[in-house]
Amino acid sequence: MYYTVRHLTKFVYSNAVSESIMETRMHPRSDAVQRCLNFQLSVSPRCRVFSYRDHLANNVHHFDIPGAHEQLVIVAESLVEMEPAPMVPSFLSPDAWAALDADVQAGDFWEFLFPSEFTTPTPLLEELGNKLEVRRRDDPLMVLHDLNEKLYRYFDYVPKSTEADSPIDKALEQKSGVCQDFSHIMIALVRSRLQIPCRYVSGYLYHGQGDKDRSATSATHAWVEAYLPQFGWVGLDPTNWLIASDRHIRTAIGRDYSDVPPTHGIFRGSANTDLTVAVRVSPSEGSPLPDQELPVPEDWSMLVEKAQQVPPPPQPIADSMKRMQQMQQAQQQQ
């Protein structure tokens, strides 16, 4: 299966800023079941974009815009080939816990076993773990299947009910959140109560006509991967009660969201930021010929053109007010 992924991000500043430094993780990974055949990243104002791979083989792009500007527009376009995901059974053999522990003992999984910024256990998490009976029993896969379903049923999916930097307790208190929250909660429970290596996955989900997904169609997505003996990393999507399939397009993996936000950066100036995000994942016929470009839907072209229009002139600000600020240029994953 081939997919075309288009991801537009627009930051509009209440006052002109004099510099933006940005990192993005929007380039889909290439591995055993997924290949990124084409990737383009466009930035306005125009600048030189650099790239590297981090220690987990995530593709990272970064750039610096030193001149004054009132907005920043980033457009990422990808063509991805997805192989059918291996079938995941309902259970493993009776000795699977011992096999898992042996693999962990022999491997290097410490990053995905210990608490991280957004997956540190809290009293509310412990209360939920007791309520859902999250403990070692049966076999690792049966417990993960059960937890995936229970989290789906326990929490309501409510877009924008939390923020990009919300701790897990906010979703636990209100019993609602988005895919980012559900993934963090599942990771924290799996690591602390089951001692199974578990990691955060940032990416996209294709929503077909007959698919009954809760997650938003116009946003990035997040799910988890847990390590299992014989199978390796298995993806679980508690937002939609799914096992990750060829509809789940992976861009980056990490301990939690703080490792893999689609955008992360700082700007110089005193301004508030208005963020707009649009995501489009659509089936594709496959790789174009070398002298052909990917077809672009007319409505998407109009959306990009509108995003790049210069906003009204901002109000001037005194130089004494200018300072380096952290951008809230983090896109919450829905």
Side-chain angles (χ1 to χ4, degrees):
M1 187 70 186
Y2 294 89
Y3 295 106
T4 299
V5 182
R6 295 183 170 90
H7 184 170
L8 181 147
T9 306
K10 179 179 180 180
F11 300 100
V12 177
Y13 308 110
S14 58
N15 295 297
V17 301
S18 59
E19 183 178 17
S20 293
I21 301 173
M22 178 68 71
E23 227 180 41
T24 71
R25 288 172 172 81
M26 301 176 178
H27 186 160
R29 294 170 61 92
S30 292
D31 51 33
V33 296
Q34 171 181 308
R35 286 194 304 155
C36 183
L37 303 177
N38 191 13
F39 178 78
Q40 297 178 343
L41 187 73
S42 303
V43 180
S44 177
R46 294 185 63 180
C47 64
R48 188 174 181 182
V49 179
F50 302 88
S51 64
Y52 68 93
R53 285 193 179 187
D54 65 18
H55 71 291
L56 293 173
N58 298 316
N59 298 295
V60 185
H61 291 77
H62 60 100
F63 55 85
D64 180 4
I65 301 175
H69 51 285
E70 294 88 36
Q71 69 177 29
L72 170 60
V73 180
I74 306 167
V75 180
E77 297 181 274
S78 311
L79 176 65
V80 183
E81 180 184 12
M82 302 292 295
E83 297 288 340
M87 291 295 296
V88 177
S90 300
F91 56 88
L92 299 178
S93 60
D95 62 345
W97 284 114
L100 170 66
D101 292 339
D103 284 357
V104 170
Q105 188 69 26
D108 184 11
F109 297 101
W110 66 271
E111 283 187 286
F112 307 118
L113 282 169
F114 289 98
S116 55
E117 181 177 354
F118 290 111
T119 63
T120 299
T122 66
L124 284 178
L125 183 81
E126 291 303 314
E127 183 180 327
L128 177 66
N130 293 332
K131 183 179 297 185
L132 301 184
E133 299 183 19
V134 183
R135 55 183 174 81
R136 284 196 165 200
R137 53 184 168 78
D138 303 317
D139 70 74
L141 185 53
M142 287 184 69
V143 176
L144 290 172
H145 278 307
D146 184 57
L147 179 59
N148 200 34
E149 178 183 358
K150 286 179 175 177
L151 291 177
Y152 170 82
R153 297 187 183 281
Y154 185 84
F155 289 98
D156 292 326
Y157 176 80
V158 182
K160 300 183 179 180
S161 58
T162 58
E163 305 295 332
D165 58 352
S166 293
I168 58 175
D169 275 357
K170 184 170 184 179
L172 289 168
E173 287 171 355
Q174 59 193 24
K175 293 186 179 180
S176 64
V178 295
C179 65
Q180 182 175 308
D181 307 300
F182 307 152
S183 297
H184 284 152
I185 290 169
M186 185 169 188
I187 290 170
L189 289 170
V190 170
R191 289 179 185 167
S192 64
R193 288 187 160 246
L194 303 177
Q195 293 79 52
I196 298 176
C198 195
R199 62 193 188 187
Y200 184 96
V201 186
S202 172
Y204 307 98
L205 177 64
Y206 169 65
H207 299 262
Q209 188 172 2
D211 298 316
K212 299 178 180 179
D213 305 317
R214 295 196 299 181
S215 52
T217 59
S218 59
T220 57
H221 191 48
W223 59 98
V224 311
E225 288 181 343
Y227 180 83
L228 293 171
Q230 302 176 24
F231 289 92
W233 295 99
V234 174
L236 302 111
D237 183 351
T239 303
N240 299 304
W241 186 17
L242 295 172
I243 297 297
S245 68
D246 57 4
R247 295 198 292 127
H248 290 75
I249 303 168
R250 302 152 74 240
T251 57
I253 56 175
R255 295 167 300 173
D256 60 28
Y257 170 81
S258 65
D259 283 347
V260 293
T263 57
H264 177 71
I266 55 176
F267 65 81
R268 187 184 298 276
S270 181
N272 294 320
T273 307
D274 182 38
L275 169 64
T276 302
V277 176
V279 171
R280 177 84 58 84
V281 181
S282 52
S284 176
E285 295 182 356
S287 181
L289 297 174
D291 58 345
Q292 290 182 323
E293 294 184 354
L294 290 173
V296 181
E298 183 178 354
D299 59 342
W300 182 262
S301 298
M302 294 173 62
L303 180 66
V304 173
E305 183 178 350
K306 183 178 179 180
Q308 293 176 335
Q309 293 175 355
V310 178
Q315 297 296 320
I317 58 175
D319 289 343
S320 60
M321 293 179 61
K322 291 187 179 181
R323 63 189 185 276
M324 202 66 144
Q325 294 183 332
Q326 276 295 120
M327 291 187 191
Q328 291 305 319
Q329 311 220 105
Q331 304 168 41
Q332 185 177 22
Q333 301 196 290
Q334 302 287 338

